[in-house]
Structure formats: structure tokens, C-alpha cells
């Protein structure tokens, strides 16, 4: 893992943020790289930045990959937690559960699922969620790794970490399948049993968790005593570009944060066919009533409010991934509702953002090919710079990787043979 800083003259990669008629340049610095599928970012009680690494899977056992077909994802104890503190990058916890999709043409794995997010309670104790992208039956009978699809407590953050399962979201999905509510529109996948916890936060003695595959929002007590469904994120209808049929568009929630008003705000990615400008941000009040706070985004992967009450919105992609590959975008909604693109054309499969007390923004970048992951530090009102070039999509641009199919998170997927088999959130 290297610390790098690259500075270039202002050009197409530099975006200007206009606030109070002042143009603010953006500075980017790569503060960590060579990460294995970075996902969540959080500051610990020691002031360090912690990065969850979903890993690179392994040699097996293997279970069917989401979306049908013959693809499989295979297990390996390759997940990790990395700490960034005082200009030092250290992988402090290793050997965590991970599954990933083998990509034989390049002899690599892609799209790992494992530890997705890490948070600390008020006493400094650490908790994490592990994704799954499948059913608890596959987890229990084939993988035989109980942590997938669960909220867990970590007894420490070192190589001897012990994981204690607290809340089994995957089992809840199997028992109740909350989002299978029958929209009345054709859904070729019937909202089957599929759970993929992706992000959470802690407030008091409770963890609040979004399940990207289950399309729902939960509260779980940190002592493991309760798991309660709070909200189901609503489906909509959309025209299937392959068939022309009206189908159900799944929500795919990917982030939860608390706003200045104390309400929960949840990001929406949207499922197949990943329509442009159709992703929304939901506000959920104390009565668990869901309303739309903002809309018109594309494939949102994370949210964070700043100290002024403005909201940063991180898009995994700024165009529909059904028809073409797209870089991500960082968008700022100021307290008056005005939107500005802060950072575009330099984010490649970004997966999370976090705001430091001094206002710097941290972004997990290049999240889906193990070994290529980065953490970027983004500052405003300084000299412009840009992160290093992207090796994977450079290969794509000259056709080495061939076709891409299944590029996105949804509970169940349709094939689009124009694309490489990268399954993102499942």
C-alpha cells in the first residue's frame, strides 16, 4: 500500500464548486492503494480512518452467483480491515470471510462480497456487517460460514479477531421475504430469497442497517436481542429495454445516514435496467414513514451530510450501466437544495465516502478488482490534482476483457452480453 499524491494543471478532470459566488478548486490525493475490494469507511474513536476490504474470495467452496447462469462465487478467508493513521496505512485485521467471482481470462477474481461496513459504538466497541448476495441455505449448507448476511460484534481489531453474530438479516429474509409484496407488474425473478446487508450506522444501543438485496431497512439491538423491520423500500415500474414489458424496478438501498433533522436518509441504487436519473434519496421519519427527499440521480452508492447541513451524494455510475460503462460522480446538495458536481470523470467504481471533522472527504475507489482499490482524500479550495489512471478500465477500452455482462447490484439480474461479468451488490 502506497501513499501517492498526483497534481496536474486544471483541465477536464477538475470540477469547480460554486458556493456564495466563490469558485473552489478540488484536490485529490491517493492516501492508500493496493486494497482488496474496499467498501465502507469510518473514523474510529482513535481518530484513525478504517477501511473494510471485502477481499478476493478464494478456491472454495463455491455457491451460484446471483442472476442465474453457470457463474459461481467462491470462498476464501481474504477479507480485511485497514487502518489509516498519521500517514501510515496498516492492514490490522485479516482472514475475514470473503466470496468472489473468478474471472478466468485474467486469472483474477472480481466483485468480492464480505465485510461491507464497520462502525463503533459510544464506548469504542467495533461492529460490522457482512454481505451475502444469496440465501441462508447456501450460506449454511455449502459455505458453512455463519457471518455472511449478519451484523456481528468484533472483540478487537487485530489478526486474532473474534466475530460474534448478533442479527441474521439473511435468515429474516428467508423467513419473511418482506419485499415480495406483489406489485402487480411482471417480475421475472419473483423477489426470491436474497439478502445482502451493505451499510449501517449506530445510534445509542441500536444498529440501523440497509439490505441492498432485500430492499429493506432494519433496526438491530447491539446485544443481539432484537431485529426489527422498519421499512420496505418501494418498487416502481419501468419498461424492460430487452422485451418492452412493464416490469418491477427494485429499489436496492445502499447507504443510510442521519440528517440534521434527526431523520434517516437512505440512498437508492435501483435495480435492472438501472435507468438514468431515476435513483432517489429517501427520508424516513420517527414513525418510519418513507418520503422522497431528492431524486434525479443515477446509481447512488453512499451519502454523507456535512457540518453545514449540505449533503454529498456519491454515484457509483453517472449513466445507466445497462448500455455502457460509466465513471462515478460526487454531487453536493447545498442547504438551499442547489446541486453541483464536485468530482467526475476520475471516480472508477467508487464504493463509499466519509467526511472528516475538518471537512475533507474520503472516498473508496476502484472497489471491484482486488489489489486495485484506493482511498482518496478530497479537499476543496486548493490546487487541482487527480488520482492515478485506472488499469482495469484501460484494459476495457482496448478490448482485452471482451464483453461485460451483469454489471450491477440488484436482487436478481438479467443478462446483457455487452458487458463483463462483474456482479456488484447482488
Amino acid at each position: 500500500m502506497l501513499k501517492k499524491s498526483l497534481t496536474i494543471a486544471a483541465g477536464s478532470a477538475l470540477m469547480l464548486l460554486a458556493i456564495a459566488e466563490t469558485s473552489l478548486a478540488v484536490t485529490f490525493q491517493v492516501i492508500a492503494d493496493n486494497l482488496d475490494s474496499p467498501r465502507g469507511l469510518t473514523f474510529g474513536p482513535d481518530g484513525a480512518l478504517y477501511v473494510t476490504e471485502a477481499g478476493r474470495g478464494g478456491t472454495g467452496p463455491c455457491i451460484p452467483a446471483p442472476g442465474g447462469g453457470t457463474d459461481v462465487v467462491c470462498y476464501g478467508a481474504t477479507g480485511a480491515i485497514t487502518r489509516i493513521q498519521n500517514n501510515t496505512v496498516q492492514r490490522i485485521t485479516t482472514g475475514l470471510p470473503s466470496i468472489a467471482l473468478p474471472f478466468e481470462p485474467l486469472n483474477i477474481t472480481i466483485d468480492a462480497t464480505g465485510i461491507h461496513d464497520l462502525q463503533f459504538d459510544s464506548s469504542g466497541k467495533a461492529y460490522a456487517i457482512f454481505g451475502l448476495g444469496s440465501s441462508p441455505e447456501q450460506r449454511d449448507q455449502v459455505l458453512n460460514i455463519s457471518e455472511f448476511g449478519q451484523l456481528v460484534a468484533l472483540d478487537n481489531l487485530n489478526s486474532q479477531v473474534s466475530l460474534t453474530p448478533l442479527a441474521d438479516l439473511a435468515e429474516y429474509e428467508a423467513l419473511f421475504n418482506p419485499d415480495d409484496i406483489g406489485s402487480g407488474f411482471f417480475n421475472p425473478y419473483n423477489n426470491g430469497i436474497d439478502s445482502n446487508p451493505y451499510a449501517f450506522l449506530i445510534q445509542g444501543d441500536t444498529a440501523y442497517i440497509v439490505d441492498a438485496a432485500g430492499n429493506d431497512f432494519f433496526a438491530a439491538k447491539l446485544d443481539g436481542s432484537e431485529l426489527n423491520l422498519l421499512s420496505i423500500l418501494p418498487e416502481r415500474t419501468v419498461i424492460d429495454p430487452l422485451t418492452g414489458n412493464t416490469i418491477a424496478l427494485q429499489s436496492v438501498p445502499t447507504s443510510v445516514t442521519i440528517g440534521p433533522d434527526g431523520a434517516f436518509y437512505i440512498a437508492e441504487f435501483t435495480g435492472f435496467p438501472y435507468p438514468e436519473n431515476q435513483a432517489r434519496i429517501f427520508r424516513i421519519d420517527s414513525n418510519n414513514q418513507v418520503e422522497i427527499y431528492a431524486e434525479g440521480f443515477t446509481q447512488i452508492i453512499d451519502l454523507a451530510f456535512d457540518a453545514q447541513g449540505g449533503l454529498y451524494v456519491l454515484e457509483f455510475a453517472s449513466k445507466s450501466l445497462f448500455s455502457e460503462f460509466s465513471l462515478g460522480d460526487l454531487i453536493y446538495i447545498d442547504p438551499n437544495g442547489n446541486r453541483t458536481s464536485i468530482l467526475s470523470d476520475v471516480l472508477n467504481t467508487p464504493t463509499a465516502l466519509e467526511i472528516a471533522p475538518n471537512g475533507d472527504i474520503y472516498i473508496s475507489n476502484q472497489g471491484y478488482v482486488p489489489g486495485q482499490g484506493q482511498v482518496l482524500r478530497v479537499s476543496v479550495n486548493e490546487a487541482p490534482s487527480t488520482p492515478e489512471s485506472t488499469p482495469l478500465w484501460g484494459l476495457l477500452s482496448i478490448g482485452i476483457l471482451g464483453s461485460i455482462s451483469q454489471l450491477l447490484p440488484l436482487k436478481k439480474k438479467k443478462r446483457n452480453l455487452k458487458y463483463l461479468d462483474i456482479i456488484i451488490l447482488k
Side-chain angles (χ1 to χ4, degrees):
M1 303 175 198
L2 303 176
K3 179 179 177 182
K4 299 180 181 178
S5 179
L6 303 177
T7 304
I8 61 171
S12 61
L14 171 65
M15 302 302 298
L16 297 180
L17 169 61
I19 298 179
E21 299 181 354
T22 301
S23 293
L24 302 177
V26 178
T27 298
F28 316 97
Q29 185 180 32
V30 179
I31 64 168
D33 62 4
N34 301 327
L35 301 175
D36 284 342
S37 313
R39 294 293 185 269
L41 298 171
T42 189
F43 283 98
D46 56 356
L49 180 66
Y50 290 83
V51 188
T52 57
E53 296 180 73
R56 55 178 65 233
T59 58
C62 305
I63 61 174
T70 60
D71 293 331
V72 296
V73 289
C74 299
Y75 172 78
T78 56
I81 299 170
T82 286
R83 181 179 62 208
I84 305 173
Q85 187 175 37
N86 298 326
N87 299 323
T88 299
V89 180
Q90 182 182 7
R91 188 172 279 152
I92 58 172
T93 302
T94 58
L96 299 177
S98 173
I99 51 177
L101 181 72
F103 185 62
E104 295 180 359
L106 291 183
N107 194 29
I108 61 173
T109 58
I110 54 177
D111 183 30
T113 294
I115 183 168
H116 281 169
D117 203 3
L118 176 75
Q119 299 292 330
F120 297 89
D121 68 11
S122 58
S123 71
K125 183 175 178 60
Y127 300 82
I129 53 170
F130 285 80
L132 176 59
S134 186
S135 68
E137 181 181 21
Q138 292 286 345
R139 175 194 68 189
D140 297 337
Q141 298 182 14
V142 182
L143 296 176
N144 196 28
I145 303 294
S146 63
E147 289 83 6
F148 286 117
Q150 294 216 47
L151 170 72
V152 305
L154 290 75
D155 66 342
N156 54 59
L157 292 178
N158 59 40
S159 59
Q160 305 301 316
V161 65
S162 176
L163 306 177
T164 303
L166 298 174
D168 194 339
L169 281 76
E171 182 64 27
Y172 192 104
E173 169 76 4
L175 291 173
F176 303 107
N177 196 9
D179 72 325
D180 191 15
I181 55 179
S183 64
F185 292 89
F186 176 68
N187 183 341
Y189 306 110
N190 300 316
N191 288 14
I193 304 303
D194 192 358
S195 175
N196 191 26
Y198 194 74
F200 76 117
L201 60 81
I202 291 175
Q203 188 176 46
D205 64 352
T206 304
Y208 295 89
I209 310 165
V210 291
D211 188 327
N215 301 308
D216 36 29
F217 179 45
F218 290 91
K221 292 296 184 182
L222 296 179
D223 63 3
S225 62
E226 295 179 24
L227 175 63
N228 296 311
L229 176 68
L230 299 181
S231 300
I232 301 169
L233 280 301
E235 290 184 346
R236 290 171 285 166
T237 59
V238 67
I239 301 300
D240 184 340
L242 297 178
T243 66
N245 294 330
T246 298
I247 62 172
L249 173 66
Q250 295 184 53
S251 183
V252 189
T254 52
S255 177
V256 56
T257 191
I258 296 177
D261 58 354
F264 293 106
Y265 290 78
I266 292 178
E268 180 179 65
F269 195 104
T270 73
F272 174 86
Y274 327 114
E276 291 183 22
N277 305 318
Q278 294 298 309
R280 302 166 294 182
I281 299 169
F282 298 105
R283 180 184 181 274
I284 300 181
D285 64 19
S286 58
N287 296 316
N288 295 323
Q289 296 300 305
V290 180
E291 63 180 4
I292 298 173
Y293 172 74
E295 55 190 343
F297 301 94
T298 303
Q299 277 94 60
I300 306 173
I301 198 71
D302 206 356
L303 302 171
F305 282 94
D306 66 9
Q308 291 71 44
L311 180 62
Y312 284 95
V313 181
L314 182 64
E315 294 182 336
F316 176 88
S318 56
K319 297 180 181 178
S320 171
L321 289 165
F322 173 74
S323 58
E324 59 182 311
F325 172 73
S326 170
L327 294 171
D329 198 359
L330 179 64
I331 298 166
Y332 184 65
I333 307 176
D334 72 22
N336 295 319
N338 302 309
R339 303 184 189 184
T340 305
S341 175
I342 302 298
L343 178 62
S344 62
D345 299 329
V346 296
L347 295 176
N348 174 10
T349 60
T351 52
L353 70 90
E354 179 79 326
I355 300 178
N358 69 355
D360 282 349
I361 304 161
Y362 292 82
I363 297 176
S364 295
N365 197 37
Q366 297 185 187
Y368 285 90
V369 177
Q372 294 190 7
Q374 301 173 327
V375 175
L376 309 180
R377 180 168 56 217
V378 180
S379 302
V380 177
N381 202 22
E382 296 183 18
S385 63
T386 185
E388 60 190 4
S389 61
T390 303
L392 173 63
W393 300 118
L395 291 176
L396 281 176
S397 68
I398 58 176
I400 292 178
L401 296 187
S403 65
I404 304 179
S405 91
Q406 293 190 334
L407 222 135
L408 243 277
L410 69 166
K411 186 169 176 179
K412 304 292 177 186
K413 300 177 187 60
K414 284 189 174 181
R415 294 278 181 177
N416 176 6
L417 297 181
K418 295 180 181 179
Y419 291 104
L420 164 71
D421 218 349
I422 300 181
I423 310 160
I424 293 192
L425 294 177
K426 309 176 182 67

